[in-house]
């Protein structure tokens, strides 16, 4: 493979980020166990021909590991996609079960040097703790040897080097250094050997080579009784490298805790109501349609609908909403949110990975596994590190050998140790992991890493109206017929029998639509006691952005825009008057049996922060455009009230996408924000599509970013987060390159000892991790300002 020739395949084991334990444990003896559907159903959502699973990968250390795993698996028949989440050390695998059994894929990963098992959060946490204990054992052993060797070194440097005690002290040093090399430094040799055996150079090769050279030179001096020994240098740099990698692992884990917190929102068990009894059952045992009891202070374990009770629910950890919201009978609740005040009884609609929380976690992890285009810079530089390191070390040794062989050994060893591509490999995935996790905590779900670059260059923002600039909760305000206008938002409004019949039939037809305006009409009918179950509805035709038509009993209704009526050859009824434009209002035309008989006025309040968000975007140099299917008068009134730059009204869904394409051809970098089914084509056509979390599932599936909260300010916050993250990635790459440009020449000039090199190497990675972790502080500070 190309990866072998590049040497990157070996570097994949270069930096165990906090994992310096022994090589990954052997795979289970019976991998075929994981081919059984009864086993896979615990980890696989859909047991169809094409399946997806999340695997926990042990032994993955850096960007080169990602490249190796993804390229190797893509060569297997039946593997449709393989994406590695570097920061979480997980593999999202999609494969065809009838072409390639899961056991064969696990076996292939084992041949590459990775142990892979289906991911379970609790098991992963236990395994991580076990690895940390092993790290500490190796680190403690190296520390013990280093402290004792310090006293031996002090004695030798204080004059014992010229006394009869010299052989004893040097042999004592060898007795301490040898087990340290064989035990504490074992992972370096194992990883280096595995890479050489597979035909590629690992970045553990320079470390293992430097340690071996130092050990052999010291051993030769000890046995011959002449020359200097470097037992203290050897043990100290092993200890420092292990310490640096351990601290690096802790720092990485702390930096990406936002994603882990999403996992932790899922309770382990639920109180289920079965046969009138309360039973505490594991969450995996909860079935769709079952009823759960949620007491005050408990986290809601599954998505559901409230069937009894009323309470305040804190959704801050999931959507970023600052204040609790009221949830009562008929309203939906989401897994991972906190029930604060009352007792709720809910009917389960989704569990585990199928819940909103599960989808968010999956999207965040997929975003972390999809590298941003800027990562290509690191990918181009990393393959050169191993060969460059060995070449520079050899040149250094040759240069200094004629002057002083001892200096040549130390300088070459320092070059082998100090050259560090770890920081370059971490520069992008570390920043993306922090940013995506932080965004998800605040109700901003970014689906892929490429969004960070794309959104940072946006200069034209296009908004849909209903559900985006407005709250998406319209209310029926007035009814217009040939007898005049009847306000419907007054408590004493009285509908006559004809009006009640019309609204009843309209509500029956609108039950087939998911549009917010349809929900407003059906809600009004329910509030008026207008039942629709007995009505027969046939031949329903729905055209997004236009309206709905169908046969209700013996009446044919057409409901929607004026254009929709014209397409059905229905003339507008001038007796119903001319609609007066008001910001936030929408007019629906209703025709029965070919005659327009009603006009319905609905009002959808603007989001409270809509004007402030638009002003903020314009201050940042963005052109802001309204794109809506509403009639011109209503759209113009809204555009004037919000001081929008452009306004396009009565735009059909397919025309929305064409308009976005036209803006892009004119040189604009376009972000589209919408929420409805009719916005899906435009979301796909834009450089970046952003969907409101309260909108249609198709819109969310078509978008690059999903905003879960009720605040439109998340649009501005998302743009700030992506720009800050991209800037941090560039800083990280600059830090890693600057480190090597400065430290490698110093090592070649013999100005850096192997011990100092061992200290400096992990510091470069820690600097990248620390800089990435600062994204949280900087973003929250910008949000406050």
């Amino acid at each position: 493979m190309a990866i072998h020739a590049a040497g990157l395949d070996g570097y994949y084991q270069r930096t165990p980020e906090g994992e310096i334990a022994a090589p990954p444990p052997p795979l289970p003896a019976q991998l075929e166990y994981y081919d059984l559907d009864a086993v896979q159903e615990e980890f696989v959502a859909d047991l169809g021909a094409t399946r997806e699973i999340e695997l926990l990968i042990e032994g993955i250390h850096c960007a080169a590991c990602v490249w190796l795993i993804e390229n190797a698996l893509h060569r297997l028949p039946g593997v449709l996609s393989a994406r590695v989440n570097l920061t979480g050390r997980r593999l999202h695998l999609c494969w065809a079960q009838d072409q390639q059994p899961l056991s064969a894929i696990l076996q292939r990963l084992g041949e590459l040097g990775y142990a892979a098992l289906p991911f379970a959060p609790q098991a992963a946490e236990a395994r991580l703790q076990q690895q940390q204990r092993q790290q500490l054992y190796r680190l403690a052993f190296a520390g013990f040897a280093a402290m004792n060797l310090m006293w031996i070194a002090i004695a030798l440097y204080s004059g014992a080097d010229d006394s009869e005690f010299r052989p004893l002290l040097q042999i004592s040093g060898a007795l301490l250094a040898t087990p340290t090399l064989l035990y504490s430094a074992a992972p370096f040799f194992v990883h280096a050997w595995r890479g050489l055996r597979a035909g590629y150079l690992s970045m553990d090769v320079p470390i293992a080579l430097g340690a071996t050279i130092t050990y052999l030179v010291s051993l030769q001096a000890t046995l011959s009784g002449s020359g200097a020994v470097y037992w203290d240098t050897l043990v100290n740099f092993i200890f420092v490298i292990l310490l640096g990698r351990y601290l690096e692992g802790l720092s990485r884990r702390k930096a990406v805790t936002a994603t882990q917190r999403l996992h932790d929102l899922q309770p382990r068990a639920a109180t289920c109501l079965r046969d009138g009894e309360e039973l505490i059952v594991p969450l995996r045992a909860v079935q769709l349609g079952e009823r759960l009891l949620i007491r005050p202070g408990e986290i809601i374990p599954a998505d559901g609908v409230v069937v009894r009770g009323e309470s305040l629910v804190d959704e801050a950890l999931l959507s970023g909403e600052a204040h609790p919201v009221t949830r009562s009978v008929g309203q939906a609740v989401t897994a991972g949110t906190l029930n604060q005040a009352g007792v709720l009884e809910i009917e389960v609609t989704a569990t585990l990975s199928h819940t909103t929380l599960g989808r968010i976690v999956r999207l965040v992890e997929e975003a972390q596994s999809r590298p941003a285009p800027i990562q290509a810079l690191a990918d181009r530089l990393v393959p050169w590190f191993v060969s460059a390191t060995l070449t520079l070390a050899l040149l250094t040794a040759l240069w200094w050998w004629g002057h002083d062989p001892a200096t040549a050994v130390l300088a070459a060893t320092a070059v082998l140790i100090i050259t560090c591509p770890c920081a370059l490999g971490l520069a992008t995935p570390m920043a993306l992991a922090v940013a995506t996790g932080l965004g998800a905590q605040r109700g901003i779900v970014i689906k892929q890493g490429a969004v960070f670059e794309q959104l940072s260059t946006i200069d034209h923002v296009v908004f849909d109206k209903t559900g985006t600039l407005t709250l998406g909760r319209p209310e029926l305000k007035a009814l217009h017929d040939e007898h005049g206008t009847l306000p419907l938002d007054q408590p004493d409004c009285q509908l006559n029998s004809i009006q009640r019949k019309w609204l009843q039939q309209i509500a029956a037809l609108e039950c087939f639509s998911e549009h917010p305006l349809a929900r407003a009409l059906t809600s009004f009918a329910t509030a008026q006691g207008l039942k629709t179950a007995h009505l027969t509805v046939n031949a329903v035709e729905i055209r997004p952005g236009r309206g709905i038509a169908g046969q209700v009993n013996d009446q044919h209704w057409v409901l929607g825009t004026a254009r929709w009526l014209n397409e059905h050859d229905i003339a507008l009824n001038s007796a119903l008057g001319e609609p007066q434009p008001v910001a936030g209002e929408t007019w629906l035309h209703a025709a029965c049996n070919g005659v327009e008989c009603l006009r319905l006025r609905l009002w959808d309040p603007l989001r409270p922060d809509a004007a402030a968000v638009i002003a903020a975007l314009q201050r940042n140099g963005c052109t802001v455009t309204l794109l809506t299917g509403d009639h011109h008068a209503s759209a113009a009134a809204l555009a004037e009230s919000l001081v929008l730059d452009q306004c396009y009204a009565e735009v059909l869904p397919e025309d929305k996408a064409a308009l976005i394409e036209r803006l892009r051809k004119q040189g604009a970098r376009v972000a589209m924000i919408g929420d409805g089914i009719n916005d899906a084509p435009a979301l796909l056509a834009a450089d970046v599509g952003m969907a409101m979390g309260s909108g249609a599932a198709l819109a969310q599936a078509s978008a690059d970013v999903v905003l879960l909260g009720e605040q439109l300010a998340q649009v501005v916050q998302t743009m700030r987060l992506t720009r800050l993250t991209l800037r941090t990635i560039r800083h990280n790459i600059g830090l890693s390159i600057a480190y090597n440009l400065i430290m490698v020449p110093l090592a070649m000039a013999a100005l850096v000892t192997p011990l100092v090199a061992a200290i400096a190497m992990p510091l470069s990675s820690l600097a990248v991790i620390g800089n990435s972790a600062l994204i949280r502080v900087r973003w929250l500070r910008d949000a406050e300002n």
Side-chain angles (χ1 to χ4, degrees):
M1 295 186 298
I3 191 167
H4 290 282
L8 184 58
D9 200 351
Y11 161 58
Y12 78 91
Q13 298 167 56
R14 161 65 188 88
T15 309
E17 299 143 347
E19 178 188 76
I20 46 180
L27 293 174
Q30 297 179 331
L31 287 178
E32 293 78 9
Y33 170 79
Y34 293 104
D35 293 333
L36 301 176
D37 287 350
V39 176
Q40 288 191 16
E41 66 179 359
E42 184 177 354
F43 308 101
V44 177
D46 183 10
L47 295 175
T50 300
R51 303 184 180 185
E52 297 184 27
I53 194 172
E54 199 82 12
L55 298 176
L56 176 66
I57 307 293
E58 290 189 55
I60 183 171
H61 307 310
C62 62
C65 297
V66 175
W67 188 1
L68 171 63
I69 292 173
E70 292 182 349
N71 279 272
L73 293 187
H74 281 144
R75 292 174 178 266
L76 293 178
V79 174
L80 304 179
S81 70
R83 292 195 305 273
V84 175
N85 179 345
L86 174 61
T87 54
R89 301 182 186 181
R90 293 200 289 277
L91 166 67
H92 182 80
L93 177 69
C94 180
W95 84 103
Q97 175 72 8
D98 56 345
Q99 298 182 40
Q100 190 74 252
L102 182 60
S103 59
I105 299 174
L106 297 179
Q107 183 64 44
R108 177 56 179 151
L109 287 169
E111 294 171 357
L112 295 173
Y114 302 97
L117 293 173
F119 172 74
Q122 293 80 17
E125 183 66 22
R127 195 177 294 269
L128 180 60
Q129 291 177 358
Q130 180 184 13
Q131 293 168 2
Q132 288 178 334
R133 283 195 299 269
Q134 294 175 343
Q135 294 167 16
L136 285 174
Y137 293 154
R138 294 177 183 274
L139 181 60
F141 190 91
F144 170 80
M147 287 186 291
N148 284 277
L149 271 169
M150 185 185 303
W151 295 110
I152 296 175
I154 291 174
L156 290 172
Y157 295 149
S158 300
D161 191 41
D162 298 323
S163 70
E164 67 273 18
F165 298 106
R166 172 181 173 174
L168 176 62
L169 293 173
Q170 290 183 342
I171 291 174
S172 298
L175 292 176
L176 287 169
T178 300
T180 303
L181 185 72
L182 295 178
Y183 175 63
S184 295
F188 305 131
F189 290 95
V190 172
H191 296 154
W193 171 246
R194 187 187 300 153
L196 292 173
R197 187 177 60 183
Y200 55 79
L201 292 173
S202 162
M203 270 310 295
D204 279 314
V205 170
I207 295 178
L209 187 59
T212 301
I213 292 173
T214 306
Y215 179 84
L216 292 177
V217 169
S218 299
L219 183 63
Q220 188 275 333
T222 299
L223 295 178
S224 65
S226 62
V229 296
Y230 306 101
W231 300 124
D232 57 326
T233 300
L234 172 65
V235 173
N236 282 332
F237 94 68
I238 290 176
F239 171 73
V240 170
I241 289 176
L242 294 179
L243 178 62
R245 291 187 172 184
Y246 180 74
L247 295 176
E248 179 184 330
L250 292 180
S251 299
R252 290 185 67 233
R253 191 178 181 195
K254 183 177 181 180
V256 297
T257 50
T259 306
Q260 182 60 43
R261 287 186 68 188
L262 291 175
H263 276 293
D264 295 340
L265 288 177
Q266 186 78 65
R268 308 289 190 268
T271 303
C272 193
L273 300 176
R274 294 177 179 174
D275 299 326
E277 295 184 4
E278 297 180 14
L279 299 176
I280 298 178
V281 299
L283 195 55
R284 290 190 177 278
V286 175
Q287 303 295 320
L288 297 182
E290 284 198 300
R291 294 198 175 188
L292 303 181
L293 185 67
I294 318 295
R295 293 184 173 87
E298 292 183 349
I299 294 178
I300 297 175
D303 286 0
V305 177
V306 178
V307 294
R308 182 179 300 173
E310 181 175 334
S311 179
L312 290 175
V313 177
D314 184 357
E315 301 179 347
L317 289 178
L318 195 60
S319 66
E321 291 298 321
H323 304 290
V325 295
T326 301
R327 291 290 181 256
S328 57
V329 175
Q331 293 185 305
V333 292
T334 305
T337 56
L338 177 64
N339 181 30
Q340 286 192 337
V343 177
L344 293 176
E345 185 178 325
I346 69 170
E347 182 176 310
V348 176
T349 58
T351 62
L352 300 172
S353 61
H354 300 286
T355 64
T356 300
L357 174 61
R359 291 194 298 271
I360 292 172
V361 171
R362 185 171 66 253
L363 289 173
V364 170
E365 291 175 346
E366 287 180 359
Q368 293 173 356
S369 68
R370 294 174 179 171
I374 196 172
Q375 179 68 24
L377 173 61
D379 292 341
R380 287 195 298 268
L381 294 176
V382 164
W384 298 94
F385 267 87
V386 179
S387 57
T389 298
L390 297 178
T391 302
L392 292 175
L394 178 61
L395 292 176
T396 301
L398 293 175
W399 172 263
W400 285 105
W401 194 263
H403 299 79
D404 180 11
T407 302
V409 171
L410 291 178
T413 303
V415 172
L416 290 171
I417 295 170
I418 207 167
T419 308
C420 181
C422 318
L424 190 60
L426 285 172
T428 298
M430 195 69 229
L432 292 182
V434 173
T436 52
L438 180 59
Q441 268 193 310
R442 298 297 174 122
I444 300 170
V445 181
I446 300 173
K447 292 186 178 181
Q448 53 184 328
V451 173
F452 287 88
E453 286 193 64
Q454 295 166 348
L455 198 53
S456 64
T457 62
I458 292 299
D459 56 15
H460 198 129
V461 180
V462 179
F463 284 97
D464 175 50
K465 193 197 84 167
T466 303
T468 305
L469 288 176
T470 66
L471 291 174
R473 295 191 289 268
E475 299 175 359
L476 185 58
K477 289 295 183 180
L479 177 153
H480 300 260
D481 61 11
E482 292 183 349
H483 301 290
T485 300
L486 175 64
L488 299 177
D489 55 354
Q490 304 296 327
D492 57 346
C493 70
Q494 294 291 329
L495 296 170
N496 61 41
S497 59
I498 298 298
Q499 293 169 339
R500 291 179 64 84
K501 178 182 177 182
W502 284 346
L503 289 176
Q504 183 182 38
Q505 293 183 351
I506 288 173
L509 180 61
E510 290 288 17
C511 286
F512 291 84
S513 174
E514 295 183 358
H515 196 280
L517 297 178
R519 291 197 296 269
L521 294 175
T522 56
S523 297
F524 179 82
T526 301
Q528 293 290 322
L530 303 175
K531 301 184 182 299
T532 60
H534 65 286
L535 298 178
T536 301
V537 181
N538 295 307
V540 177
E541 179 187 5
I542 299 177
R543 295 292 295 277
R546 304 187 190 185
I548 187 171
Q551 192 82 13
V552 183
N553 284 356
D554 57 347
Q555 308 292 320
H556 184 266
W557 283 92
V558 177
L559 181 69
T561 64
R563 179 187 293 185
W564 182 236
L565 265 65
N566 290 334
E567 290 181 9
H568 285 77
D569 298 324
I570 299 174
L572 297 183
N573 189 347
S574 59
L576 300 181
E578 186 67 25
Q580 297 299 315
V582 177
E585 284 192 349
T586 299
W587 288 76
L588 290 180
H589 302 262
C592 181
N593 296 329
V595 178
E596 184 186 16
C597 57
L598 280 178
R599 287 183 186 171
L600 304 173
R601 179 160 55 93
L602 298 99
W603 180 71
D604 190 3
L606 288 174
R607 294 185 185 269
D609 56 351
V613 167
I614 290 170
L617 291 172
Q618 291 170 332
R619 285 195 302 270
N620 290 334
C622 291
T623 301
V624 183
T625 295
L626 173 64
L627 195 59
T628 177
D630 281 1
H631 54 74
H632 289 282
S634 178
L638 179 62
E640 183 179 356
S641 67
L642 293 177
V643 197
L644 298 173
D645 298 303
Q646 298 176 8
C647 173
Y648 296 91
E650 297 188 20
V651 183
L652 299 177
E654 56 271 26
D655 295 335
K656 287 185 178 182
L659 192 145
I660 295 293
E661 291 286 1
R662 186 165 72 247
L663 291 175
R664 293 182 64 193
K665 289 180 180 179
Q666 294 172 356
R669 299 283 298 173
V670 182
M672 172 71 193
I673 298 96
D675 78 312
I677 294 175
N678 59 331
D679 297 321
L683 292 171
L684 290 170
D687 293 287
V688 177
M690 303 174 72
M692 307 302 294
S694 58
L698 179 59
Q700 295 180 29
S702 304
D704 303 299
V705 181
V706 179
L707 307 177
L708 298 177
E710 291 290 331
Q711 299 178 352
L712 201 61
Q714 287 180 319
V715 173
V716 178
Q717 293 171 3
T718 304
M719 296 182 73
R720 287 175 177 169
L721 178 61
T722 56
R723 289 171 179 170
L724 175 60
T725 303
L726 193 62
R727 187 163 65 246
T728 300
I729 291 173
R730 289 169 176 158
H731 290 170
N732 287 347
I733 293 176
L735 279 172
S736 60
I737 293 176
Y739 161 82
N740 286 284
L741 290 177
I742 294 173
M743 299 305 295
V744 173
L746 292 177
M748 295 180 68
L751 298 176
V752 175
T753 66
L755 179 59
V756 173
I759 295 173
M761 186 187 70
L763 288 180
S764 63
S765 295
L766 290 174
V768 167
I769 293 171
N771 190 44
S772 299
L774 286 176
I775 291 176
R776 173 187 298 272
V777 177
R778 294 165 180 159
W779 186 57
L780 294 179
R781 183 183 59 203
D782 290 346
E784 292 174 356
N785 295 334

